[in-house]
Amino acid sequence: MDILLVGPSKSGKTSIQRVVFKKLSPHESFFLPPTMSVETLTVENNPNVQFTIKDFPGNKEFDAEADRAILEQTGAIIYVFDAQIGDIEESCGKLKDIIAEASKVNEKIYYEVFVHKVDSDLYQNDDQKMEVYNDFQREIRNELKEADINVNITFYLTSIYDHTIFDALSKIVQKLFPFVEHLIEMLNSLHTSCGVEKAFIFDIISKIFIATDSSPVDITHYEICSELIDVLIDMSCIYGKDNLKFDEESSTTIKLKKGDNADDEAGNTYLYLKEVDEYLVLVCLIGEEEFQKKHLINYNINLLKQSLKEIFAKK
């Protein structure tokens, strides 16, 4: 399944795929040249979770007939609005044209908008970020209504300098895989049977999560769980056997303190990571009391792991 990433119409540059999937630092991406032609990246860290990102320059004009082959394979179009440039009217007009052409070929495409670079000095508080976010939503919906185009669009505030870009991409990737609902059910069961506060299944290479339980995602939970993956990789590089960074025995446990009272064990939360498939890990937040039943948690994780293999075998 393809994801089309359309850059800002003026700068024509997106650094998103390079930061997330090629591990370029945000500061290094600042010096990248504009995207002048279509760039293709295939994400295939795991044989069961694969997709292709096509990075389009912002000045590309979509044409339903000329781009039919691409659009027929497209699951989602991500339109990146550069909040630093701030030309909402022009950007919304561009997005409307893209939707009009894409809809002629493929009515099943998801349309996603990144209100991007909200980390700049122009947006120093949440009110300013929400203002540009709401202005863009209002303008594009008016444009689509006037053009009699009826599609659903999901909006995200994003930056490459924090975890918001990973969270947004995770939610988009989840829309494209039919087995995600089964994974959510399994994670909900883990939540119910073992008292797990929050659970994610991560792609270990990109650190995007392909599933989480049904409870709302707190970005701080995502941050701390994804950072545990870095801890695992760093420790495995130093102490791993035969230079292996990751295998079926991989696991990590970290106890987090809550509050100032070091003797108050009841307030502790555990971060628990377990391998569940090749390059996929389960990361959980578990309370002190529930973690005392670690044998039960491991039993249920093994059931989840087996179910995961069965789902992928039928894919």
Side-chain angles (χ1 to χ4, degrees), residues 100-113:
E101 292 300 308
S103 298
K104 296 176 184 176
V105 177
N106 187 346
E107 295 181 351
K108 297 181 179 180
I109 292 176
Y110 292 101
Y111 297 99
E112 319 286 334
V113 172

Side-chain angles (χ1 to χ4, degrees), residues 222-271:
Y222 169 82
E223 290 172 1
I224 197 168
C225 287
S226 65
E227 287 168 1
L228 183 57
I229 296 173
D230 292 330
V231 172
L232 170 68
I233 293 176
D234 290 344
M235 295 298 291
S236 297
C237 285
I238 299 172
Y239 300 107
K241 183 172 63 176
D242 299 326
N243 294 321
L244 290 177
K245 297 180 181 179
F246 181 75
D247 59 36
E248 63 181 10
E249 299 300 323
S250 294
S251 67
T252 304
T253 304
I254 293 179
K255 182 165 71 172
L256 307 175
K257 284 285 187 181
K258 285 186 177 179
D260 298 327
N261 187 354
D263 298 325
D264 184 13
E265 293 293 324
N268 293 332
T269 298
Y270 283 83
L271 274 174

Side-chain angles (χ1 to χ4, degrees), residues 35-47:
T35 304
M36 302 307 296
S37 59
V38 178
E39 298 178 3
T40 301
L41 171 68
T42 300
V43 180
E44 48 186 357
N45 306 325
N46 183 289

Side-chain angles (χ1 to χ4, degrees), residues 264-284:
D264 184 13
E265 293 293 324
N268 293 332
T269 298
Y270 283 83
L271 274 174
Y272 190 42
L273 178 151
K274 288 279 288 183
E275 180 269 356
V276 292
D277 190 67
E278 185 180 12
Y279 295 106
L280 292 181
V281 292
L282 172 72
V283 186
C284 304

Side-chain angles (χ1 to χ4, degrees), residues 137 153 181 214:
Q137 286 193 62
I153 304 177
E181 290 299 323
S214 298

Side-chain angles (χ1 to χ4, degrees), residues 23 162-164 166-167 170 200-209 218-233 271 273 281-285:
K23 300 307 174 186
D162 57 30
H163 290 80
T164 54
F166 293 90
D167 181 58
S170 297
F200 298 89
I201 295 178
F202 281 96
D203 171 66
I204 195 171
I205 304 299
S206 66
K207 296 201 297 184
I208 63 173
F209 61 93
D218 185 329
I219 192 65
T220 58
H221 288 166
Y222 169 82
E223 290 172 1
I224 197 168
C225 287
S226 65
E227 287 168 1
L228 183 57
I229 296 173
D230 292 330
V231 172
L232 170 68
I233 293 176
L271 274 174
L273 178 151
V281 292
L282 172 72
V283 186
C284 304
L285 280 163

